[in-house]
Amino acid sequence: MTNLFYETSLGKYYLDRAEDFINSEEGAKFHGRVQLLITSPPFPLNKKKKYGNLKGEEYRAWFSNLSEAFSKLLTDDGSIVIEMGNSWEAERPVYSTLHLESLLGFLKNQKANLNLCQEFICYNPSRLPSPAQWVTVNRFRTIDSYTHVWWMSKSDTPKADNSKVLRPYSASMKRLLKKQKYNSGKRPSEHDIGETSFLKDNGGSIMPNVLEIEQIDETRERRVPGNIFSISNTNSSDFFLKACRERGITPHPARMPLELVQFFVEFLTDKGDLVFDPFAGSNTTGFIAEKLERNWVATEVMKDYGEQSMVRFEDPNLDTTLSKK
């Protein structure tokens, strides 16, 4: 039976398997209402983790079948955003293709009717050397420091507005806008740049599809959207991590970065829309949704993670009320 663990001013956190919740009487209330489903599912790892993960064909079948359930939740112009890391063959220094095969199975599930809108790369230079055996012991692989982020939808034109996630103009672009002059004409790439193509001030430049969790090059100005948190995943000032340390809580080991979630919530939803995370863990998604005045629903199978996720809503910068059931 679906168990409502706690709720806040805008959201609900359930202790349940994602598939069971979606197919339950309670989950049916949200069918066709979710504007954004964003999550980081258990990766197909070779070493069993506390938060649970399957392997091989079992993982591929499980993940592929999720798309039908997830699709039921979406509005007609809703989006699914899934973060997936790379996986390695057991005891071998070679990539597994399982995560890619699983993604294709998810996307090609005809009962889900999904399109791949775009791929993003989430780069985090602070990730620990992994896999350690091949990086720090044998030293014949480099650090695996990024994850794939896949944006999918049922529609060719899901709700999206990149003007809400503009990054500041570069210094050279600011000079160009001030001078109102640049070299127009054909480029070696065969692009023909018009005389006024770059003279309009749009308030910032469009984000690329590589998201920096920390600055790649510290010698240049960091250009992330002004409304996106500038908090790295290892930042000691993060309220949740600080509170966990003080209380002796071991945080969920595979938390989605705050900036990653916020970017897509800003990009793909409006205030009042519904956001859902089926593998919520410490509930980064619910926290961001609450902060940005979106409604949210989250599911998680492990009560320990549900308990620690409540810490997020004690953040003094968050105006909300939490009620445990």
Side-chain angles (χ1 to χ4, degrees), residues 27 195 292:
E195 294 182 0
L292 298 178

Side-chain angles (χ1 to χ4, degrees), residues 60-286:
R60 180 166 41 244
W62 169 76
F63 190 79
S64 298
N65 289 331
L66 283 176
S67 59
E68 180 183 359
F70 289 177
S71 183
K72 290 179 184 178
L73 294 168
L74 292 186
T75 62
D76 289 340
D77 62 352
S79 293
I80 295 174
V81 172
I82 293 179
E83 181 197 25
M84 294 186 75
N86 297 306
S87 60
W88 296 76
E89 293 286 354
E91 300 181 4
R92 298 177 61 199
V94 295
Y95 266 172
S96 167
T97 60
L98 180 58
H99 63 297
L100 298 175
E101 294 168 28
S102 300
L103 174 79
L104 287 174
F106 182 96
L107 187 61
K108 295 299 183 181
N109 187 332
Q110 294 183 355
K111 294 180 180 179
N113 192 30
L114 295 173
N115 306 296
L116 180 60
C117 297
Q118 199 165 11
E119 176 190 6
F120 290 76
I121 297 297
C122 183
Y123 172 69
N124 185 357
S126 291
R127 288 186 68 182
L128 294 174
S130 175
Q133 179 65 40
W134 317 127
V135 177
T136 61
V137 179
N138 296 96
R139 290 187 173 270
F140 47 53
R141 293 295 181 268
T142 58
I143 298 173
D144 209 24
S145 59
Y146 71 91
T147 54
H148 303 269
V149 183
W150 308 95
W151 171 26
M152 293 163 273
S153 73
K154 294 190 290 188
S155 167
D156 287 3
T157 55
K159 179 191 282 190
D161 184 354
N162 65 29
S163 69
K164 295 192 295 186
V165 286
L166 296 175
R167 61 179 184 163
Y169 283 128
S170 64
S172 60
M173 185 62 186
K174 290 176 182 177
R175 289 193 296 269
L176 184 154
L177 289 170
K178 186 175 182 179
K179 290 170 54 180
Q180 287 291 292
K181 185 179 180 181
Y182 63 94
N183 294 325
S184 58
K186 284 201 170 184
R187 299 291 191 266
S189 62
E190 298 187 1
H191 287 92
D192 193 355
I193 308 300
E195 294 182 0
T196 61
S197 299
F198 296 110
L199 296 183
K200 182 180 178 181
D201 187 344
N202 292 301
S205 62
I206 298 171
M207 275 289 292
N209 65 338
V210 175
L211 307 176
E212 296 180 50
I213 298 306
E214 287 187 6
Q215 197 165 341
I216 294 175
D217 181 358
E218 295 184 358
T219 64
R220 63 168 170 75
E221 180 184 7
R222 191 180 188 204
R223 294 170 59 213
V224 295
N227 54 329
I228 302 296
F229 295 140
S230 295
I231 306 172
S232 86
N233 214 23
T234 59
N235 197 316
S236 59
S237 66
D238 178 273
F239 174 84
F240 172 71
L241 294 180
K242 183 178 180 181
C244 284
R245 284 195 301 272
E246 291 173 350
R247 302 176 195 187
I249 298 171
T250 301
H252 191 291
R255 305 178 309 279
M256 276 195 296
L258 292 169
E259 305 98 322
L260 175 65
V261 178
Q262 188 178 352
F263 174 83
F264 285 104
V265 171
E266 293 271 23
F267 179 31
L268 302 175
T269 71
D270 295 317
K271 288 183 179 180
D273 283 344
L274 179 62
V275 179
F276 176 60
D277 188 342
F279 307 106
S282 65
N283 206 12
T284 302
T285 297

